[in-house]
Amino acid sequence: MKRILTVLLLLLGGMTCHVTAQHHDMHVVMLGDSNTWLGGDDCMTPKGWNYWMRTLLQPTTCRSYARSGATWVHTDKMVRDTEENTARLSDNNVITNQIHRLQEAVAEGKQAVPTLIFIMAGTNDVWFRKDILSTLEHVAVDDVALLQESFPEARIVLITPMQNTKVSPELVREAAEQLETTAIRMACDLVDASGTEVIDSEQESRKLTFTRDGVHTNEMGAKRLAEFVYMKMSQVKSEK
């Protein structure tokens, strides 16, 4: 419990509140693709890393707006759509529309104003949309700006894609570098999960260990990712 309270202090940064009430003032939102979607909208399914992050943070509320198949990047056919839930790649299955869903939920009183927002995406961008990966930074900057305008008091944490057996580590690293640039430009936090500390694509190719198919985490992989993000976030805050 002492460790959890310490990290809660770090997560909330400049917010003013008493230690004993830290978790009572934290409203966590998750955006992303299938590895976040696996945890369920209520973040209560252990196959998703957001389940384990919820366990670590113990916030007042924790809600996922992630969708399987989601990407950062857009096609020219993308339009605002807060209803679609295809569980696969589509023109409207993008982080931008998850943000619009979040905005609507807050406006309708269905969601508390978030104080901590995670975005973990990029796997589908490098897997299926390599031809427009060069636009990832531009789209990510726009999405973070939209969140900052809508929820100016929220801390935003970008999480890079992890290694997987479908694409090369170099391509995953390219996406991570664009998100690193985004985080610097937008003064938000970034956790780089593209190294071998979470998922080692070479190891997974030999024997599935932390994923069930080379891409999607199993329960051990989800827990491993959450603990990695949790550790990195505390390190980032302590260095500031």
Side-chain angles (χ1 to χ4, degrees):
M1 179 57 74
K2 181 177 179 182
R3 181 167 178 258
I4 290 174
L5 290 176
T6 299
V7 175
L8 285 170
L9 276 170
L10 296 171
L11 291 176
L12 289 172
M15 292 182 181
T16 302
C17 50
H18 297 293
V19 174
T20 55
Q22 292 284 339
H23 57 296
H24 297 304
D25 298 321
M26 184 182 291
H27 300 283
V28 178
V29 162
M30 311 282 193
L31 310 177
D33 53 30
S34 53
N35 272 315
T36 305
W37 171 83
L38 284 172
D41 291 352
D42 58 0
C43 305
M44 291 298 289
T45 304
K47 289 186 297 183
W49 71 276
N50 44 328
Y51 165 86
W52 299 101
M53 184 58 73
R54 179 176 187 162
T55 301
L56 288 167
L57 296 178
Q58 299 182 353
T60 307
T61 64
C62 187
R63 189 75 180 170
S64 171
Y65 291 83
R67 288 291 177 261
S68 180
T71 59
W72 280 105
V73 297
H74 306 164
T75 69
D76 293 337
K77 297 179 181 178
M78 192 275 291
V79 297
R80 180 181 178 118
D81 186 338
T82 59
E83 300 296 331
E84 181 182 272
N85 188 5
T86 62
R88 58 182 174 80
L89 209 69
S90 78
D91 293 321
N92 298 329
N93 190 6
V94 293
I95 297 299
T96 303
N97 276 326
Q98 293 180 29
I99 296 172
H100 291 320
R101 290 179 56 234
L102 170 60
Q103 290 171 321
E104 288 184 2
V106 172
E108 294 170 3
K110 299 176 180 178
Q111 163 72 51
V113 176
T115 55
L116 177 60
I117 302 173
F118 292 97
I119 313 177
M120 183 180 181
T123 297
N124 295 315
D125 298 87
V126 297
W127 189 0
F128 298 109
R129 290 187 166 163
K130 303 179 185 69
D131 56 326
I132 52 178
L133 181 58
S134 60
T135 67
L136 190 153
E137 180 192 333
H138 173 73
V139 174
V141 164
D142 287 346
D143 282 345
V144 172
L146 181 59
L147 283 170
Q148 289 175 336
E149 179 181 358
S150 302
F151 312 109
E153 300 301 318
R155 181 183 180 187
I156 299 171
V157 180
L158 307 182
I159 305 173
T160 73
M162 302 177 292
Q163 290 190 20
N164 64 79
T165 60
K166 303 300 181 181
V167 299
S168 69
E170 291 74 22
L171 197 55
V172 172
R173 183 61 203 152
E174 181 182 339
E177 288 173 352
Q178 293 195 44
L179 291 174
E180 286 173 0
T181 303
T182 298
I184 292 170
R185 287 181 60 184
M186 303 308 293
C188 63
D189 292 327
L190 178 130
V191 174
D192 185 359
S194 66
T196 57
E197 300 97 330
V198 182
I199 301 296
D200 183 333
S201 58
E202 184 178 343
Q203 174 185 292
E204 293 296 313
S205 296
R206 295 194 301 268
K207 179 182 179 181
L208 295 178
T209 305
F210 297 110
T211 71
R212 58 182 174 81
D213 56 6
V215 178
H216 302 94
T217 56
N218 56 25
E219 190 169 321
M220 286 194 305
K223 186 173 185 289
R224 184 178 174 91
L225 173 59
E227 290 174 345
F228 178 79
V229 173
Y230 183 86
M231 174 190 68
K232 289 296 182 181
M233 287 177 66
S234 63
Q235 288 178 352
V236 166
K237 202 63 186 177
S238 63
E239 290 169 0
K240 290 185 177 180

